[in-house]
Amino acid sequence: MGLELFQFQQEAASQIADRYSEYSVEPIGFGRGAKRRDVPFYQALSSITGSGKTAILAQAVSEIVAMSEVPPIILWLSKGKVVVQQSYANLAEGGKYNHLLVDTTVRLLSEYDPEDVANSKEALLYFATVGTFNQKDREKSN
């Protein structure tokens, strides 16, 4: 059996999932008519080291997956490469928090394959650093 969340962690995870649920009913959009595009749901989490941010977000992901009709694609970003590596290791198959993710495949964004997204029967959780999107640092990024 894996780690159990503390009450405050469970409440935080449920609050994030509830925010997603509310947003999914009426997402912010831009453009008009056929060119309208919805802005993806975004949630930031900031807390002191050791407070269980990874566990909170993993539980929130599971709750979001459970309420979604279509398996979501989740992009988990962090500023630090070490934080991404540690979170990925903890949530990937065999990781100490993997049991918190239900019906979710965990991958690095560098492993993204459009075919996987088109054919996936479960949620996809991709990890990356914000530097992945910084054109200047792209050559140094994995």
Side-chain angles (χ1 to χ4, degrees):
M1 180 171 183
L3 153 124
E4 300 239 353
L5 271 63
F6 291 109
Q7 183 67 31
F8 80 92
Q9 293 169 320
Q10 181 60 58
E11 288 172 9
S14 293
Q15 186 177 40
I16 291 168
D18 290 344
R19 286 179 184 151
Y20 169 79
S21 179
E22 290 172 19
Y23 186 81
S24 67
V25 171
E26 197 171 332
I28 297 170
F30 61 93
R32 294 179 187 222
K35 293 186 178 196
R36 179 181 160 80
R37 300 283 184 250
D38 290 341
V39 175
F41 175 76
Y42 172 82
Q43 175 67 57
L45 179 61
S46 180
S47 186
I48 62 171
T49 300
S51 62
K53 292 180 290 293
T54 302
I56 291 168
L57 289 172
Q59 180 63 35
V61 165
S62 284
E63 291 182 28
I64 289 168
V65 169
M67 68 175 69
S68 299
E69 291 179 31
V70 176
I73 300 166
I74 299 147
L75 182 56
W76 188 309
L77 295 171
S78 181
K79 291 178 186 175
K81 185 177 178 180
V82 172
V83 174
V84 167
Q85 290 170 335
Q86 183 180 27
S87 297
Y88 173 78
N90 286 332
L91 291 171
E93 195 169 329
K96 66 181 177 180
Y97 300 143
N98 179 260
H99 68 283
L100 295 173
L101 294 174
V102 179
D103 299 325
T104 304
T105 298
V106 179
R107 295 198 174 123
L108 295 171
L109 187 57
S110 60
E111 301 170 327
Y112 174 83
D113 182 348
E115 205 168 293
D116 289 343
V117 171
N119 299 317
S120 182
K121 301 287 187 233
E122 60 183 18
L124 296 170
L125 173 59
Y126 290 100
F127 280 89
T129 64
V130 293
T132 302
F133 302 98
N134 184 343
Q135 295 297 320
K136 195 164 63 173
D137 295 338
R138 181 170 256 173
E139 293 172 4
K140 301 174 197 169
S141 172
N142 63 358

mmCIF file of all heavy atoms in Angstrom, residues 19-69:
data_model
loop_
_atom_site.group_PDB
_atom_site.id
_atom_site.type_symbol
_atom_site.label_atom_id
_atom_site.label_comp_id
_atom_site.label_asym_id
_atom_site.label_seq_id
_atom_site.Cartn_x
_atom_site.Cartn_y
_atom_site.Cartn_z
ATOM 1 N N ARG A 19 -11.947 23.293 -9.302
ATOM 2 C CA ARG A 19 -11.691 24.443 -10.173
ATOM 3 C C ARG A 19 -11.706 24.013 -11.639
ATOM 4 O O ARG A 19 -12.242 24.702 -12.497
ATOM 5 C CB ARG A 19 -10.342 25.089 -9.847
ATOM 6 C CG ARG A 19 -10.339 25.873 -8.578
ATOM 7 C CD ARG A 19 -8.973 26.459 -8.319
ATOM 8 N NE ARG A 19 -8.969 27.134 -7.045
ATOM 9 C CZ ARG A 19 -7.909 27.261 -6.278
ATOM 10 N NH1 ARG A 19 -6.739 26.773 -6.675
ATOM 11 N NH2 ARG A 19 -7.983 27.881 -5.132
ATOM 12 N N TYR A 20 -11.099 22.862 -11.899
ATOM 13 C CA TYR A 20 -11.107 22.329 -13.266
ATOM 14 C C TYR A 20 -12.545 22.063 -13.715
ATOM 15 O O TYR A 20 -12.927 22.408 -14.834
ATOM 16 C CB TYR A 20 -10.279 21.049 -13.379
ATOM 17 C CG TYR A 20 -10.513 20.361 -14.697
ATOM 18 C CD1 TYR A 20 -9.884 20.820 -15.848
ATOM 19 C CD2 TYR A 20 -11.400 19.298 -14.810
ATOM 20 C CE1 TYR A 20 -10.118 20.233 -17.069
ATOM 21 C CE2 TYR A 20 -11.644 18.710 -16.034
ATOM 22 C CZ TYR A 20 -11.003 19.173 -17.158
ATOM 23 O OH TYR A 20 -11.256 18.586 -18.368
ATOM 24 N N SER A 21 -13.311 21.447 -12.855
ATOM 25 C CA SER A 21 -14.698 21.111 -13.186
ATOM 26 C C SER A 21 -15.495 22.361 -13.537
ATOM 27 O O SER A 21 -16.226 22.394 -14.534
ATOM 28 C CB SER A 21 -15.347 20.376 -12.016
ATOM 29 O OG SER A 21 -16.676 20.065 -12.309
ATOM 30 N N GLU A 22 -15.353 23.401 -12.741
ATOM 31 C CA GLU A 22 -16.055 24.663 -12.998
ATOM 32 C C GLU A 22 -15.576 25.278 -14.309
ATOM 33 O O GLU A 22 -16.377 25.766 -15.109
ATOM 34 C CB GLU A 22 -15.828 25.640 -11.846
ATOM 35 C CG GLU A 22 -16.528 25.249 -10.565
ATOM 36 C CD GLU A 22 -16.139 26.129 -9.386
ATOM 37 O OE1 GLU A 22 -15.611 27.244 -9.595
ATOM 38 O OE2 GLU A 22 -16.361 25.696 -8.245
ATOM 39 N N TYR A 23 -14.269 25.251 -14.532
ATOM 40 C CA TYR A 23 -13.702 25.845 -15.747
ATOM 41 C C TYR A 23 -14.148 25.092 -16.997
ATOM 42 O O TYR A 23 -14.430 25.703 -18.028
ATOM 43 C CB TYR A 23 -12.178 25.869 -15.665
ATOM 44 C CG TYR A 23 -11.541 26.596 -16.825
ATOM 45 C CD1 TYR A 23 -11.463 27.984 -16.824
ATOM 46 C CD2 TYR A 23 -11.045 25.915 -17.922
ATOM 47 C CE1 TYR A 23 -10.897 28.671 -17.890
ATOM 48 C CE2 TYR A 23 -10.482 26.588 -18.994
ATOM 49 C CZ TYR A 23 -10.403 27.963 -18.968
ATOM 50 O OH TYR A 23 -9.860 28.646 -20.023
ATOM 51 N N SER A 24 -14.233 23.785 -16.906
ATOM 52 C CA SER A 24 -14.570 22.981 -18.090
ATOM 53 C C SER A 24 -15.993 23.244 -18.580
ATOM 54 O O SER A 24 -16.286 23.048 -19.754
ATOM 55 C CB SER A 24 -14.370 21.494 -17.808
ATOM 56 O OG SER A 24 -15.307 21.031 -16.860
ATOM 57 N N VAL A 25 -16.861 23.706 -17.702
ATOM 58 C CA VAL A 25 -18.235 24.030 -18.090
ATOM 59 C C VAL A 25 -18.269 25.281 -18.968
ATOM 60 O O VAL A 25 -19.022 25.361 -19.933
ATOM 61 C CB VAL A 25 -19.126 24.224 -16.840
ATOM 62 C CG1 VAL A 25 -20.488 24.762 -17.212
ATOM 63 C CG2 VAL A 25 -19.242 22.922 -16.077
ATOM 64 N N GLU A 26 -17.438 26.263 -18.632
ATOM 65 C CA GLU A 26 -17.413 27.516 -19.383
ATOM 66 C C GLU A 26 -15.982 28.040 -19.495
ATOM 67 O O GLU A 26 -15.593 28.989 -18.817
ATOM 68 C CB GLU A 26 -18.304 28.547 -18.687
ATOM 69 C CG GLU A 26 -18.674 29.694 -19.570
ATOM 70 C CD GLU A 26 -19.725 30.587 -18.930
ATOM 71 O OE1 GLU A 26 -20.519 30.095 -18.105
ATOM 72 O OE2 GLU A 26 -19.731 31.770 -19.257
ATOM 73 N N PRO A 27 -15.175 27.408 -20.366
ATOM 74 C CA PRO A 27 -13.778 27.832 -20.488
ATOM 75 C C PRO A 27 -13.644 29.205 -21.150
ATOM 76 O O PRO A 27 -14.528 29.629 -21.903
ATOM 77 C CB PRO A 27 -13.154 26.749 -21.368
ATOM 78 C CG PRO A 27 -14.289 26.154 -22.114
ATOM 79 C CD PRO A 27 -15.495 26.298 -21.233
ATOM 80 N N ILE A 28 -12.566 29.864 -20.870
ATOM 81 C CA ILE A 28 -12.254 31.128 -21.524
ATOM 82 C C ILE A 28 -11.879 30.805 -22.962
ATOM 83 O O ILE A 28 -11.148 29.852 -23.227
ATOM 84 C CB ILE A 28 -11.070 31.831 -20.816
ATOM 85 C CG1 ILE A 28 -11.454 32.189 -19.382
ATOM 86 C CG2 ILE A 28 -10.630 33.062 -21.599
ATOM 87 C CD1 ILE A 28 -10.286 32.653 -18.540
ATOM 88 N N GLY A 29 -12.368 31.572 -23.881
ATOM 89 C CA GLY A 29 -12.054 31.339 -25.283
ATOM 90 C C GLY A 29 -11.617 32.608 -25.963
ATOM 91 O O GLY A 29 -11.809 33.709 -25.455
ATOM 92 N N PHE A 30 -11.009 32.453 -27.113
ATOM 93 C CA PHE A 30 -10.661 33.597 -27.938
ATOM 94 C C PHE A 30 -10.979 33.248 -29.382
ATOM 95 O O PHE A 30 -11.046 32.084 -29.756
ATOM 96 C CB PHE A 30 -9.195 34.001 -27.754
ATOM 97 C CG PHE A 30 -8.213 32.932 -28.144
ATOM 98 C CD1 PHE A 30 -7.677 32.893 -29.426
ATOM 99 C CD2 PHE A 30 -7.814 31.964 -27.239
ATOM 100 C CE1 PHE A 30 -6.772 31.917 -29.784
ATOM 101 C CE2 PHE A 30 -6.910 30.987 -27.593
ATOM 102 C CZ PHE A 30 -6.385 30.957 -28.872
ATOM 103 N N GLY A 31 -11.204 34.259 -30.192
ATOM 104 C CA GLY A 31 -11.625 34.040 -31.573
ATOM 105 C C GLY A 31 -13.133 33.910 -31.640
ATOM 106 O O GLY A 31 -13.822 33.876 -30.622
ATOM 107 N N ARG A 32 -13.638 33.803 -32.850
ATOM 108 C CA ARG A 32 -15.083 33.706 -33.046
ATOM 109 C C ARG A 32 -15.416 32.588 -34.023
ATOM 110 O O ARG A 32 -14.624 32.243 -34.878
ATOM 111 C CB ARG A 32 -15.637 35.012 -33.582
ATOM 112 C CG ARG A 32 -15.524 36.128 -32.595
ATOM 113 C CD ARG A 32 -16.066 37.403 -33.202
ATOM 114 N NE ARG A 32 -15.772 38.487 -32.270
ATOM 115 C CZ ARG A 32 -16.609 39.441 -31.980
ATOM 116 N NH1 ARG A 32 -17.789 39.481 -32.538
ATOM 117 N NH2 ARG A 32 -16.280 40.373 -31.128
ATOM 118 N N GLY A 33 -16.610 32.076 -33.870
ATOM 119 C CA GLY A 33 -17.111 31.060 -34.791
ATOM 120 C C GLY A 33 -16.218 29.834 -34.842
ATOM 121 O O GLY A 33 -15.774 29.326 -33.814
ATOM 122 N N ALA A 34 -15.915 29.379 -36.061
ATOM 123 C CA ALA A 34 -15.101 28.175 -36.251
ATOM 124 C C ALA A 34 -13.655 28.377 -35.803
ATOM 125 O O ALA A 34 -12.938 27.412 -35.558
ATOM 126 C CB ALA A 34 -15.130 27.747 -37.714
ATOM 127 N N LYS A 35 -13.243 29.636 -35.683
ATOM 128 C CA LYS A 35 -11.859 29.918 -35.270
ATOM 129 C C LYS A 35 -11.715 30.055 -33.753
ATOM 130 O O LYS A 35 -10.629 30.304 -33.257
ATOM 131 C CB LYS A 35 -11.352 31.186 -35.952
ATOM 132 C CG LYS A 35 -11.199 31.018 -37.439
ATOM 133 C CD LYS A 35 -10.556 32.222 -38.054
ATOM 134 C CE LYS A 35 -10.379 31.975 -39.538
ATOM 135 N NZ LYS A 35 -9.443 32.907 -40.118
ATOM 136 N N ARG A 36 -12.818 29.879 -33.026
ATOM 137 C CA ARG A 36 -12.764 29.987 -31.573
ATOM 138 C C ARG A 36 -11.901 28.878 -30.992
ATOM 139 O O ARG A 36 -11.994 27.721 -31.376
ATOM 140 C CB ARG A 36 -14.165 29.902 -30.968
ATOM 141 C CG ARG A 36 -14.143 29.976 -29.446
ATOM 142 C CD ARG A 36 -15.544 29.859 -28.860
ATOM 143 N NE ARG A 36 -15.520 29.483 -27.490
ATOM 144 C CZ ARG A 36 -15.279 30.298 -26.462
ATOM 145 N NH1 ARG A 36 -15.035 31.560 -26.685
ATOM 146 N NH2 ARG A 36 -15.291 29.862 -25.219
ATOM 147 N N ARG A 37 -11.056 29.221 -30.061
ATOM 148 C CA ARG A 37 -10.201 28.265 -29.365
ATOM 149 C C ARG A 37 -10.350 28.481 -27.863
ATOM 150 O O ARG A 37 -10.346 29.616 -27.389
ATOM 151 C CB ARG A 37 -8.724 28.459 -29.735
ATOM 152 C CG ARG A 37 -8.427 28.294 -31.201
ATOM 153 C CD ARG A 37 -8.413 26.815 -31.571
ATOM 154 N NE ARG A 37 -8.031 26.636 -32.936
ATOM 155 C CZ ARG A 37 -8.856 26.229 -33.888
ATOM 156 N NH1 ARG A 37 -10.106 25.973 -33.620
ATOM 157 N NH2 ARG A 37 -8.444 26.076 -35.119
ATOM 158 N N ASP A 38 -10.495 27.381 -27.143
ATOM 159 C CA ASP A 38 -10.570 27.470 -25.690
ATOM 160 C C ASP A 38 -9.166 27.535 -25.102
ATOM 161 O O ASP A 38 -8.243 26.873 -25.580
ATOM 162 C CB ASP A 38 -11.292 26.243 -25.110
ATOM 163 C CG ASP A 38 -12.774 26.248 -25.429
ATOM 164 O OD1 ASP A 38 -13.311 27.324 -25.757
ATOM 165 O OD2 ASP A 38 -13.386 25.180 -25.352
ATOM 166 N N VAL A 39 -9.022 28.320 -24.066
ATOM 167 C CA VAL A 39 -7.764 28.400 -23.336
ATOM 168 C C VAL A 39 -7.712 27.202 -22.392
ATOM 169 O O VAL A 39 -8.669 26.965 -21.637
ATOM 170 C CB VAL A 39 -7.684 29.722 -22.537
ATOM 171 C CG1 VAL A 39 -6.423 29.769 -21.678
ATOM 172 C CG2 VAL A 39 -7.760 30.917 -23.472
ATOM 173 N N PRO A 40 -6.641 26.423 -22.422
ATOM 174 C CA PRO A 40 -6.562 25.268 -21.521
ATOM 175 C C PRO A 40 -6.610 25.686 -20.054
ATOM 176 O O PRO A 40 -6.191 26.790 -19.696
ATOM 177 C CB PRO A 40 -5.201 24.643 -21.846
ATOM 178 C CG PRO A 40 -4.841 25.161 -23.192
ATOM 179 C CD PRO A 40 -5.471 26.531 -23.291
ATOM 180 N N PHE A 41 -7.102 24.798 -19.221
ATOM 181 C CA PHE A 41 -7.119 25.036 -17.781
ATOM 182 C C PHE A 41 -5.674 25.096 -17.294
ATOM 183 O O PHE A 41 -4.824 24.298 -17.696
ATOM 184 C CB PHE A 41 -7.854 23.896 -17.076
ATOM 185 C CG PHE A 41 -7.824 23.984 -15.581
ATOM 186 C CD1 PHE A 41 -8.628 24.896 -14.916
ATOM 187 C CD2 PHE A 41 -7.000 23.160 -14.837
ATOM 188 C CE1 PHE A 41 -8.604 24.989 -13.530
ATOM 189 C CE2 PHE A 41 -6.965 23.242 -13.452
ATOM 190 C CZ PHE A 41 -7.772 24.160 -12.797
ATOM 191 N N TYR A 42 -5.387 26.037 -16.412
ATOM 192 C CA TYR A 42 -4.050 26.203 -15.853
ATOM 193 C C TYR A 42 -4.162 26.297 -14.340
ATOM 194 O O TYR A 42 -4.996 27.029 -13.818
ATOM 195 C CB TYR A 42 -3.403 27.489 -16.397
ATOM 196 C CG TYR A 42 -2.094 27.826 -15.725
ATOM 197 C CD1 TYR A 42 -0.918 27.216 -16.134
ATOM 198 C CD2 TYR A 42 -2.037 28.733 -14.679
ATOM 199 C CE1 TYR A 42 0.289 27.511 -15.512
ATOM 200 C CE2 TYR A 42 -0.843 29.036 -14.050
ATOM 201 C CZ TYR A 42 0.316 28.420 -14.481
ATOM 202 O OH TYR A 42 1.506 28.710 -13.849
ATOM 203 N N GLN A 43 -3.304 25.550 -13.643
ATOM 204 C CA GLN A 43 -3.279 25.608 -12.187
ATOM 205 C C GLN A 43 -1.837 25.633 -11.732
ATOM 206 O O GLN A 43 -1.053 24.765 -12.102
ATOM 207 C CB GLN A 43 -3.974 24.377 -11.589
ATOM 208 C CG GLN A 43 -3.884 24.300 -10.084
ATOM 209 C CD GLN A 43 -4.667 25.394 -9.389
ATOM 210 O OE1 GLN A 43 -5.856 25.528 -9.592
ATOM 211 N NE2 GLN A 43 -4.014 26.180 -8.550
ATOM 212 N N ALA A 44 -1.488 26.624 -10.942
ATOM 213 C CA ALA A 44 -0.166 26.709 -10.344
ATOM 214 C C ALA A 44 -0.284 26.301 -8.881
ATOM 215 O O ALA A 44 -1.321 26.504 -8.253
ATOM 216 C CB ALA A 44 0.381 28.124 -10.449
ATOM 217 N N LEU A 45 0.776 25.719 -8.363
ATOM 218 C CA LEU A 45 0.803 25.332 -6.958
ATOM 219 C C LEU A 45 2.162 25.707 -6.384
ATOM 220 O O LEU A 45 3.197 25.279 -6.894
ATOM 221 C CB LEU A 45 0.557 23.825 -6.798
ATOM 222 C CG LEU A 45 0.576 23.287 -5.369
ATOM 223 C CD1 LEU A 45 -0.515 23.936 -4.526
ATOM 224 C CD2 LEU A 45 0.407 21.778 -5.377
ATOM 225 N N SER A 46 2.124 26.495 -5.358
ATOM 226 C CA SER A 46 3.347 26.923 -4.701
ATOM 227 C C SER A 46 3.216 26.612 -3.217
ATOM 228 O O SER A 46 2.197 26.925 -2.597
ATOM 229 C CB SER A 46 3.537 28.435 -4.912
ATOM 230 O OG SER A 46 4.712 28.871 -4.284
ATOM 231 N N SER A 47 4.230 25.976 -2.683
ATOM 232 C CA SER A 47 4.213 25.599 -1.271
ATOM 233 C C SER A 47 5.637 25.303 -0.835
ATOM 234 O O SER A 47 6.512 25.073 -1.668
ATOM 235 C CB SER A 47 3.316 24.371 -1.095
ATOM 236 O OG SER A 47 3.175 24.061 0.265
ATOM 237 N N ILE A 48 5.860 25.248 0.465
ATOM 238 C CA ILE A 48 7.206 25.005 0.968
ATOM 239 C C ILE A 48 7.676 23.590 0.610
ATOM 240 O O ILE A 48 6.878 22.682 0.413
ATOM 241 C CB ILE A 48 7.300 25.221 2.497
ATOM 242 C CG1 ILE A 48 6.398 24.248 3.257
ATOM 243 C CG2 ILE A 48 6.961 26.653 2.858
ATOM 244 C CD1 ILE A 48 6.605 24.267 4.760
ATOM 245 N N THR A 49 8.971 23.434 0.527
ATOM 246 C CA THR A 49 9.571 22.134 0.243
ATOM 247 C C THR A 49 9.130 21.125 1.291
ATOM 248 O O THR A 49 9.110 21.415 2.488
ATOM 249 C CB THR A 49 11.114 22.259 0.245
ATOM 250 O OG1 THR A 49 11.490 23.209 -0.759
ATOM 251 C CG2 THR A 49 11.777 20.925 -0.028
ATOM 252 N N GLY A 50 8.734 19.950 0.826
ATOM 253 C CA GLY A 50 8.336 18.884 1.735
ATOM 254 C C GLY A 50 6.864 18.885 2.113
ATOM 255 O O GLY A 50 6.424 18.072 2.922
ATOM 256 N N SER A 51 6.085 19.802 1.519
ATOM 257 C CA SER A 51 4.665 19.894 1.884
ATOM 258 C C SER A 51 3.791 18.907 1.109
ATOM 259 O O SER A 51 2.612 18.774 1.399
ATOM 260 C CB SER A 51 4.158 21.319 1.665
ATOM 261 O OG SER A 51 4.262 21.670 0.306
ATOM 262 N N GLY A 52 4.366 18.260 0.103
ATOM 263 C CA GLY A 52 3.619 17.255 -0.647
ATOM 264 C C GLY A 52 2.976 17.762 -1.919
ATOM 265 O O GLY A 52 1.919 17.277 -2.316
ATOM 266 N N LYS A 53 3.622 18.729 -2.579
ATOM 267 C CA LYS A 53 3.058 19.274 -3.820
ATOM 268 C C LYS A 53 2.847 18.187 -4.868
ATOM 269 O O LYS A 53 1.818 18.160 -5.539
ATOM 270 C CB LYS A 53 3.964 20.375 -4.382
ATOM 271 C CG LYS A 53 4.013 21.629 -3.536
ATOM 272 C CD LYS A 53 4.905 22.676 -4.140
ATOM 273 C CE LYS A 53 6.379 22.354 -4.103
ATOM 274 N NZ LYS A 53 7.003 22.307 -2.791
ATOM 275 N N THR A 54 3.798 17.285 -5.009
ATOM 276 C CA THR A 54 3.674 16.227 -6.010
ATOM 277 C C THR A 54 2.479 15.337 -5.706
ATOM 278 O O THR A 54 1.687 15.016 -6.598
ATOM 279 C CB THR A 54 4.968 15.387 -6.088
ATOM 280 O OG1 THR A 54 6.059 16.256 -6.413
ATOM 281 C CG2 THR A 54 4.852 14.293 -7.132
ATOM 282 N N ALA A 55 2.323 14.953 -4.457
ATOM 283 C CA ALA A 55 1.194 14.111 -4.069
ATOM 284 C C ALA A 55 -0.139 14.845 -4.269
ATOM 285 O O ALA A 55 -1.116 14.256 -4.742
ATOM 286 C CB ALA A 55 1.342 13.669 -2.616
ATOM 287 N N ILE A 56 -0.175 16.131 -3.941
ATOM 288 C CA ILE A 56 -1.392 16.925 -4.119
ATOM 289 C C ILE A 56 -1.775 16.979 -5.590
ATOM 290 O O ILE A 56 -2.922 16.719 -5.961
ATOM 291 C CB ILE A 56 -1.207 18.358 -3.558
ATOM 292 C CG1 ILE A 56 -1.101 18.330 -2.034
ATOM 293 C CG2 ILE A 56 -2.340 19.279 -4.012
ATOM 294 C CD1 ILE A 56 -0.624 19.649 -1.418
ATOM 295 N N LEU A 57 -0.806 17.303 -6.441
ATOM 296 C CA LEU A 57 -1.104 17.407 -7.863
ATOM 297 C C LEU A 57 -1.453 16.053 -8.466
ATOM 298 O O LEU A 57 -2.318 15.956 -9.334
ATOM 299 C CB LEU A 57 0.050 18.072 -8.600
ATOM 300 C CG LEU A 57 0.193 19.570 -8.306
ATOM 301 C CD1 LEU A 57 1.480 20.118 -8.906
ATOM 302 C CD2 LEU A 57 -0.989 20.344 -8.852
ATOM 303 N N ALA A 58 -0.807 14.986 -8.007
ATOM 304 C CA ALA A 58 -1.138 13.643 -8.503
ATOM 305 C C ALA A 58 -2.578 13.287 -8.157
ATOM 306 O O ALA A 58 -3.324 12.764 -8.995
ATOM 307 C CB ALA A 58 -0.179 12.619 -7.920
ATOM 308 N N GLN A 59 -2.985 13.570 -6.945
ATOM 309 C CA GLN A 59 -4.363 13.295 -6.533
ATOM 310 C C GLN A 59 -5.340 14.160 -7.334
ATOM 311 O O GLN A 59 -6.395 13.690 -7.758
ATOM 312 C CB GLN A 59 -4.539 13.528 -5.037
ATOM 313 C CG GLN A 59 -5.942 13.262 -4.525
ATOM 314 C CD GLN A 59 -6.370 11.816 -4.694
ATOM 315 O OE1 GLN A 59 -5.549 10.900 -4.576
ATOM 316 N NE2 GLN A 59 -7.637 11.590 -4.974
ATOM 317 N N ALA A 60 -4.980 15.421 -7.553
ATOM 318 C CA ALA A 60 -5.835 16.308 -8.348
ATOM 319 C C ALA A 60 -5.976 15.776 -9.768
ATOM 320 O O ALA A 60 -7.082 15.766 -10.327
ATOM 321 C CB ALA A 60 -5.263 17.728 -8.365
ATOM 322 N N VAL A 61 -4.886 15.299 -10.352
ATOM 323 C CA VAL A 61 -4.931 14.710 -11.694
ATOM 324 C C VAL A 61 -5.887 13.530 -11.714
ATOM 325 O O VAL A 61 -6.727 13.398 -12.609
ATOM 326 C CB VAL A 61 -3.524 14.305 -12.176
ATOM 327 C CG1 VAL A 61 -3.590 13.384 -13.389
ATOM 328 C CG2 VAL A 61 -2.682 15.540 -12.486
ATOM 329 N N SER A 62 -5.800 12.656 -10.721
ATOM 330 C CA SER A 62 -6.693 11.492 -10.671
ATOM 331 C C SER A 62 -8.156 11.900 -10.560
ATOM 332 O O SER A 62 -9.027 11.292 -11.192
ATOM 333 C CB SER A 62 -6.319 10.579 -9.504
ATOM 334 O OG SER A 62 -5.164 9.857 -9.827
ATOM 335 N N GLU A 63 -8.430 12.914 -9.776
ATOM 336 C CA GLU A 63 -9.810 13.384 -9.639
ATOM 337 C C GLU A 63 -10.313 14.002 -10.943
ATOM 338 O O GLU A 63 -11.469 13.804 -11.332
ATOM 339 C CB GLU A 63 -9.928 14.376 -8.475
ATOM 340 C CG GLU A 63 -9.746 13.711 -7.123
ATOM 341 C CD GLU A 63 -9.908 14.652 -5.949
ATOM 342 O OE1 GLU A 63 -10.658 15.657 -6.066
ATOM 343 O OE2 GLU A 63 -9.288 14.391 -4.899
ATOM 344 N N ILE A 64 -9.452 14.724 -11.624
ATOM 345 C CA ILE A 64 -9.813 15.324 -12.913
ATOM 346 C C ILE A 64 -10.058 14.223 -13.946
ATOM 347 O O ILE A 64 -11.036 14.277 -14.696
ATOM 348 C CB ILE A 64 -8.723 16.314 -13.383
ATOM 349 C CG1 ILE A 64 -8.748 17.567 -12.496
ATOM 350 C CG2 ILE A 64 -8.882 16.661 -14.856
ATOM 351 C CD1 ILE A 64 -7.552 18.481 -12.665
ATOM 352 N N VAL A 65 -9.192 13.230 -13.976
ATOM 353 C CA VAL A 65 -9.355 12.105 -14.903
ATOM 354 C C VAL A 65 -10.690 11.404 -14.651
ATOM 355 O O VAL A 65 -11.418 11.075 -15.585
ATOM 356 C CB VAL A 65 -8.175 11.115 -14.789
ATOM 357 C CG1 VAL A 65 -8.450 9.815 -15.529
ATOM 358 C CG2 VAL A 65 -6.891 11.760 -15.304
ATOM 359 N N ALA A 66 -11.021 11.197 -13.381
ATOM 360 C CA ALA A 66 -12.261 10.495 -13.023
ATOM 361 C C ALA A 66 -13.507 11.253 -13.479
ATOM 362 O O ALA A 66 -14.520 10.635 -13.793
ATOM 363 C CB ALA A 66 -12.312 10.263 -11.512
ATOM 364 N N MET A 67 -13.446 12.575 -13.529
ATOM 365 C CA MET A 67 -14.634 13.350 -13.900
ATOM 366 C C MET A 67 -14.675 13.694 -15.389
ATOM 367 O O MET A 67 -15.645 14.274 -15.856
ATOM 368 C CB MET A 67 -14.728 14.626 -13.057
ATOM 369 C CG MET A 67 -13.661 15.647 -13.334
ATOM 370 S SD MET A 67 -13.852 17.210 -12.430
ATOM 371 C CE MET A 67 -13.534 16.732 -10.758
ATOM 372 N N SER A 68 -13.649 13.321 -16.131
ATOM 373 C CA SER A 68 -13.570 13.686 -17.546
ATOM 374 C C SER A 68 -14.157 12.602 -18.436
ATOM 375 O O SER A 68 -13.875 11.426 -18.262
ATOM 376 C CB SER A 68 -12.105 13.923 -17.942
ATOM 377 O OG SER A 68 -11.551 14.971 -17.183
ATOM 378 N N GLU A 69 -14.969 13.042 -19.394
ATOM 379 C CA GLU A 69 -15.535 12.102 -20.371
ATOM 380 C C GLU A 69 -14.475 11.635 -21.357
ATOM 381 O O GLU A 69 -14.472 10.496 -21.788
ATOM 382 C CB GLU A 69 -16.691 12.763 -21.126
ATOM 383 C CG GLU A 69 -17.907 13.017 -20.272
ATOM 384 C CD GLU A 69 -19.020 13.697 -21.034
ATOM 385 O OE1 GLU A 69 -19.133 13.460 -22.251
ATOM 386 O OE2 GLU A 69 -19.769 14.452 -20.405
#
